[in-house]
Amino acid sequence: MVANMEEGKINYVSREYKRDFYSPPLPQTFWLDHGKGFTKEQAANLIQGRSVYREDLLSREGTPYKAWMQLDTEKERDRNNNLTFRQFTDAYGYDVKAILDDYKIKEMIDPKKAEALETSLLNGHRPLVTVEKDGQEAKMYIETAVRYGKLNFYREDGKPEKREQFQKETGLEMGEAFAKKQEQSREKDVAQGQGIGV
């Protein structure tokens, strides 16, 4: 249960839903075309600021394409008082499976759970996952941050956490690995007699 009302008064709102429950309503119309469009769950996730992946989009020329869709709250509303969409096509490079693999998420070990987690994120949900924090297992909500090519992590009370602490390799470790690969490449070039001229 996310909220409850008795005798016309709200007597309960779950912690993870409070921010959305008490925010002012965001009017938005989602149009369907012959039964195709966003599901009600996807629409709710879009209203809450998350991104949804669509595989059934068509360009004006009729060419099919896939893209992450997100409501653009930075632009003016259209003539129907709706927010416009910001799109991130596959060319943008946000691969949810690859990004999930960058983090130490326990559910990624089991292929069935990993697939369910990926599907959940594609639909814009904020699934609860198990991560290691300060040497102990902790539950965190995750959501896609398509624009920035990352995942966002939130505690069960809704407060954000730094994503870097859950990455398999930190930025420093990745920098060291890159430097090591460069050094190996130079050594290989020298060994092959190619050397680097000055």
Side-chain angles (χ1 to χ4, degrees):
M1 179 167 52
V2 293
N4 190 39
M5 179 183 275
E6 286 184 12
E7 297 177 18
K9 292 190 178 187
I10 299 163
N11 63 0
Y12 172 78
V13 179
S14 67
R15 279 187 278 172
E16 62 271 4
Y17 188 60
K18 276 187 182 180
R19 179 180 60 121
D20 298 320
F21 186 81
Y22 290 110
S23 295
L26 183 66
Q28 182 72 20
T29 302
F30 292 95
W31 305 102
L32 296 176
D33 181 23
H34 296 85
K36 292 185 179 180
F38 293 105
T39 66
K40 63 182 176 185
E41 290 176 332
Q42 289 173 335
N45 290 330
L46 286 164
I47 291 290
Q48 293 176 59
R50 295 192 287 275
S51 301
V52 170
Y53 188 71
R54 293 281 303 269
E55 296 181 341
D56 59 350
L57 300 171
L58 288 175
S59 69
R60 290 180 189 204
E61 296 80 31
T63 308
Y65 70 100
K66 303 172 186 178
W68 287 91
M69 305 292 287
Q70 183 179 31
L71 289 174
D72 193 345
T73 56
E74 296 172 10
K75 289 188 178 173
E76 298 264 335
R77 290 179 170 271
D78 66 14
R79 65 177 183 231
N80 296 317
N81 198 31
N82 286 316
L83 294 170
T84 58
F85 284 98
R86 176 179 282 159
Q87 291 187 4
F88 302 95
T89 63
D90 284 350
Y92 191 75
Y94 191 85
D95 180 358
V96 73
K97 185 176 184 342
I99 289 171
L100 281 167
D101 286 338
D102 288 342
Y103 294 93
K104 296 179 265 188
I105 298 172
K106 187 176 180 181
E107 287 77 4
M108 292 303 291
I109 297 168
D110 180 350
K112 285 184 181 178
K113 288 182 181 178
E115 186 178 336
L117 184 58
E118 183 181 343
T119 301
S120 182
L121 289 170
L122 289 169
N123 283 307
H125 296 299
R126 185 188 257 190
L128 189 64
V129 297
T130 308
V131 294
E132 186 178 312
K133 182 180 179 197
D134 303 325
Q136 297 181 2
E137 283 190 357
K139 294 286 189 182
M140 295 280 164
Y141 287 102
I142 60 171
E143 67 180 36
T144 58
V146 178
R147 184 176 181 184
Y148 304 105
K150 306 282 184 195
L151 287 177
N152 289 332
F153 287 78
Y154 298 90
R155 296 190 320 218
E156 289 187 85
D157 63 4
K159 294 201 168 131
E161 285 282 333
K162 291 187 177 185
R163 68 178 69 90
E164 293 79 12
Q165 64 185 318
F166 307 118
Q167 285 183 307
K168 289 182 179 173
E169 290 184 3
T170 63
L172 181 61
E173 290 167 342
M174 288 191 290
E176 289 171 358
F178 179 73
K180 188 175 180 179
K181 283 181 185 176
Q182 275 188 318
E183 183 61 33
Q184 287 172 346
S185 178
R186 279 192 216 125
E187 288 172 3
K188 182 180 172 186
D189 289 345
V190 170
Q192 292 176 349
Q194 294 175 357
I196 299 173
V198 180

